[in-house]
Amino acid sequence: MENTVILQSTITCPNCGSQKEETMPTDACQFFYKCTKCETILKPKPGDCCVFCSYGNVACPPIQINKSCCK
Ligand SMILES: [Zn+2]
């Protein structure tokens, strides 16, 4: 399968507004993310599977390739 999956996502912290580019894991969803600036622990919003779907500019890899995500 030749799918172009973007693995870099820029997370925007809802608390302090800082942005950080992170590499997403391809085989699992990342449920927690700690802001590198204010050290707030981010969790997915209701209905989202991971922090990248909630706070990143790119959805997580399973969503990009139309697989249902881990729920
Ligand atoms: Zn922050």
Side-chain angles (χ1 to χ4, degrees):
M1 258 197 328
E2 284 287 331
N3 282 317
T4 306
V5 177
I6 302 163
L7 294 179
Q8 304 298 125
S9 184
T10 302
I11 283 193
T12 303
C13 173
N15 186 51
C16 70
S18 77
Q19 296 188 319
K20 183 104 183 351
E21 189 179 76
E22 296 288 346
T23 302
M24 297 184 277
T26 54
D27 55 347
C29 283
Q30 188 171 334
F31 203 76
F32 296 106
Y33 176 79
K34 186 176 169 188
C35 175
T36 52
K37 195 173 178 192
C38 67
E39 303 201 327
T40 296
I41 306 291
L42 307 183
K43 283 176 250 173
K45 294 171 186 167
D48 283 336
C49 61
C50 69
V51 289
F52 294 108
C53 292
S54 290
Y55 303 107
N57 66 337
V58 179
C60 68
I63 298 285
Q64 289 180 44
I65 58 177
N66 281 322
K67 274 203 294 190
S68 62
C69 207
C70 44
K71 287 233 164 165

